Amino acid sequence: MWKFIAKRLGSALAVLFAASLLLYVLVINSGDPLKDLRESNADNREYLMAQRVEYMNLDAPWYGRYWDWLTGASKCLIGQCDLGRNINGVEVSGLLANAASSTLRLVVLATVIAAVLGIAIGVLTAIRQYSGLDYIVTFLTFLFFSLPVFWAAVLLKEYLAISYNDWLADPQISVGTSIAIGIVVGLVLQMFLGGSLKRRGITFFASAVFVPLVLQYSLWLNFYRYPQMGPAIIIVLTALLALSATAMSVGLKEKRVLYPALITVVLVLAMYYATFYMLLEPNGWILFFGLVLAVVIPAAIGRFMGGRLRKAAMSVSIITGVAGAALTIIDHLFRAWPRFLDVKGRPIATIGSSTANLEGGFWDHFLDNGTQLLMPTILLAVISLASYSRYTRSSMLEVQRQDYIRTARSKGLSERTVIFRHAFRNAMIPIATIAAFDFAGLIGGAVITERVFGWKGMGEMFATGLDHVDPAPVMAFFLVTGTAAILFNLLADIVYALLDPRIRV
């Protein structure tokens, strides 16, 4: 394995060198970096041109400039990156750090959402192959995948930002609209939940009645401007999730898994009251350590009480603990929402990654960053959803045709056990490699998405560098994205071999 890794890294360095040389030559020959100054009528034009020549080292031959960049970039191996200065004399290392953090904040969330939803949809459509749900989901995923990014972004700005902000000033939902929403929700739920015709009818009728009542009741509470949750709803939702996770993994009859999950639910309630005043005005470290505890403590309980099913008990308990912690955070966000509306009257912004000079506390800035992330995250997630769902569907269908799946069914195992403990785990092997490649590609930033939403990330830095014939930002972009692509390619091969013992490198 180590010999394989060394060979791959050696070949990767050669590829990076050749690609960087080609890209540098293409960029510097794509235009004139002094064009705007040559056409300027400013009195200090000559001084500005001389200053830019100094910044970009334009008086040196191209191979000398490339060598300077290469030697500076190689210092990144010892943590002393020198990526030169851009056309305005700003250090590119600082620009790269800001752009990379902005892009990672965007693409990590979008990738996680797309992967989780895409895999879930793929499994569901594989189980119900050639059903109405399968055809509709296939149509919708490819429709979203084919949407022009700029056009979809404009629609999101119009309806999710501008129209929603106008509606939020005086939230109103008519009875007719509530009934229509209930009917649509009922149709979707009965399609996803499936079952007999009687079960589908009950699901549809219950949703068509319950949803309009909830919508009208939320208007009466003025929920959209003054949302509220409270410990009772947190515990009910956490308990339902614990029961669902237990039922999907091993079944509710397995008390060694169910009891640790229910104990975790009780701990969520205890921690809610214990940390209430601490979370009124927290910081990032408090939330981080809270997340660690939400994983470590349930895992310890599941390991101690799980017995022979300790792995399943740990997994279900961790899911329950993390979900309870997330609902607790949402409860505090609900409490901070009215104050945030006073600070920022129109919460969903259409441009930028944060609001400059925003007043308020921790939760106000948290909500501001979250609302700024909302639209580009939805756009990237919807576009990536098709890939994960279709790959998962095809992988699940291939696995379900294997002999060991037929053997598992012939032994009398429940369909839940066959799907989630045999088919699903093996179907995830190729998905692991796809996720690695997808994340590596998204690190480079979504150029169109970032431009439409005014997001100062990697894609915007790359596009700006090309527009101004400025090789330093473009090469910094290449350094990050090229290295990420190669490393994630290597990581995908290693993970694939670890997941599938039949593979030998």
Side-chain angles (χ1 to χ4, degrees):
M1 176 67 76
W2 292 109
K3 185 178 179 181
F4 166 75
I5 294 176
K7 287 183 177 180
R8 288 293 300 272
L9 289 177
S11 61
L13 290 176
V15 170
L16 280 177
F17 171 75
S20 66
L21 178 60
L22 177 61
L23 180 62
Y24 193 89
V25 172
L26 290 175
V27 172
I28 64 175
N29 287 283
S30 62
D32 182 9
L34 301 175
K35 180 180 179 180
D36 58 324
L37 295 179
R38 297 185 197 279
E39 298 173 352
S40 173
N41 295 321
D43 296 335
N44 60 342
R45 186 184 68 170
E46 297 300 327
Y47 170 76
L48 294 176
M49 292 179 65
Q51 191 178 49
R52 184 172 295 182
V53 168
E54 179 184 356
Y55 288 156
M56 302 180 65
N57 200 19
L58 295 177
D59 53 352
W62 71 267
Y63 49 84
R65 293 157 56 194
Y66 172 76
W67 178 254
D68 290 340
W69 175 85
L70 186 62
T71 54
S74 62
K75 294 179 182 178
C76 294
L77 297 174
I78 58 175
Q80 298 179 357
C81 289
D82 181 12
L83 302 178
R85 291 181 291 181
N86 70 354
I87 199 169
N88 298 316
V90 181
E91 291 289 338
V92 174
S93 299
L95 295 176
L96 179 63
N98 294 331
S101 62
S102 180
T103 292
L104 285 175
R105 186 155 55 97
L106 173 62
V107 302
V108 168
L109 183 60
T111 303
V112 170
I113 293 174
V116 172
L117 292 181
I119 290 173
I121 292 173
V123 172
L124 187 60
T125 53
I127 295 173
R128 301 182 189 173
Q129 185 185 16
Y130 301 136
S131 64
L133 174 65
D134 186 19
Y135 288 124
I136 292 176
V137 169
T138 299
F139 170 75
L140 290 177
T141 52
F142 279 104
L143 173 65
F144 293 144
F145 182 76
S146 304
L147 286 178
V149 174
F150 57 89
W151 182 72
V154 171
L155 292 181
L156 285 177
K157 283 186 175 185
E158 175 63 29
Y159 295 105
L160 189 59
I162 299 173
S163 297
Y164 175 76
N165 289 331
D166 294 338
W167 176 83
L168 192 60
D170 183 23
Q172 294 293 331
I173 304 176
S174 66
V175 176
T177 303
S178 300
I179 294 174
I181 293 174
I183 292 174
V184 172
V185 172
L187 290 173
V188 173
L189 280 181
Q190 63 87 21
M191 187 180 300
F192 272 94
L193 296 179
S196 63
L197 185 61
K198 179 181 178 181
R199 177 181 173 182
R200 287 173 178 265
I202 293 174
T203 301
F204 170 76
F205 180 76
S207 301
V209 172
F210 181 71
V211 170
L213 293 177
V214 169
L215 290 176
Q216 293 301 312
Y217 182 63
S218 65
L219 286 174
W220 181 76
L221 290 176
N222 200 8
F223 177 83
Y224 303 100
R225 293 191 64 87
Y226 299 93
Q228 49 195 298
M229 183 180 292
I233 295 179
I234 291 176
I235 292 306
V236 169
L237 294 178
T238 307
L240 289 175
L241 180 62
L243 295 174
S244 301
T246 304
M248 291 178 63
S249 58
V250 294
L252 294 176
K253 294 182 180 179
E254 293 291 350
K255 308 303 181 185
R256 293 181 180 272
V257 177
L258 180 61
Y259 288 161
L262 295 179
I263 291 174
T264 303
V265 173
V266 176
L267 286 177
V268 168
L269 179 62
M271 292 303 295
Y272 174 85
Y273 287 106
T275 62
F276 182 82
Y277 292 102
M278 184 186 301
L279 292 178
L280 288 179
E281 196 60 43
N283 55 51
W285 286 109
I286 291 177
L287 297 184
F288 174 75
F289 284 117
L291 177 61
V292 172
L293 291 177
V295 173
V296 173
I297 295 177
I301 295 173
R303 181 176 178 81
F304 178 74
M305 299 182 62
R308 62 182 178 83
L309 297 175
R310 64 171 59 93
K311 290 185 178 180
M314 290 174 64
S315 300
V316 173
S317 299
I318 290 173
I319 292 173
T320 304
V322 172
L327 289 172
T328 301
I329 298 301
I330 293 174
D331 177 71
H332 283 275
L333 289 174
F334 280 0
R335 295 174 184 275
W337 181 254
R339 185 177 71 245
F340 178 66
L341 290 182
D342 293 335
V343 175
K344 186 179 178 181
R346 299 179 67 83
I348 310 298
T350 58
I351 293 294
S353 57
S354 62
T355 302
N357 302 320
L358 179 73
E359 299 178 356
F362 176 84
W363 290 122
D364 297 311
H365 287 85
F366 190 97
L367 284 168
D368 178 59
N369 291 329
T371 53
Q372 298 279 7
L373 272 171
L374 185 62
M375 288 190 295
T377 298
I378 290 176
L379 185 60
L380 290 177
V382 164
I383 292 173
S384 300
L385 198 65
S387 300
Y388 285 102
S389 63
R390 303 316 293 171
Y391 277 115
T392 303
R393 179 182 181 275
S394 61
S395 182
M396 281 289 294
L397 291 175
E398 181 180 356
V399 167
Q400 289 187 79
R401 299 188 186 100
Q402 301 299 315
D403 292 338
Y404 63 86
I405 297 297
R406 286 192 289 268
T407 302
R409 286 195 173 101
S410 65
K411 289 167 61 178
L413 295 178
S414 64
E415 190 65 16
R416 181 193 63 249
T417 302
V418 173
I419 295 298
F420 290 103
R421 298 190 63 183
H422 294 276
F424 178 71
R425 294 173 64 180
N426 287 279
M428 287 301 99
I429 293 175
I431 304 302
T433 61
I434 295 168
F437 290 133
D438 185 56
F439 185 75
L442 284 177
I443 286 179
V447 177
I448 298 176
T449 303
E450 291 182 8
R451 284 223 159 181
V452 172
F453 290 106
W455 199 270
K456 303 297 183 181
M458 296 287 292
E460 194 273 342
M461 186 180 71
F462 173 76
T464 302
L466 285 181
D467 289 342
H468 294 92
V469 197
D470 189 1
V474 176
M475 297 306 294
F477 169 88
F478 167 80
L479 184 65
V480 172
T481 56
T483 303
I486 288 174
L487 289 181
F488 275 96
N489 192 350
L490 176 62
L491 180 63
D493 290 340
I494 296 173
V495 170
Y496 201 104
L498 293 177
L499 289 175
D500 193 345
R502 296 170 298 179
I503 295 176
R504 293 294 179 265
V505 178

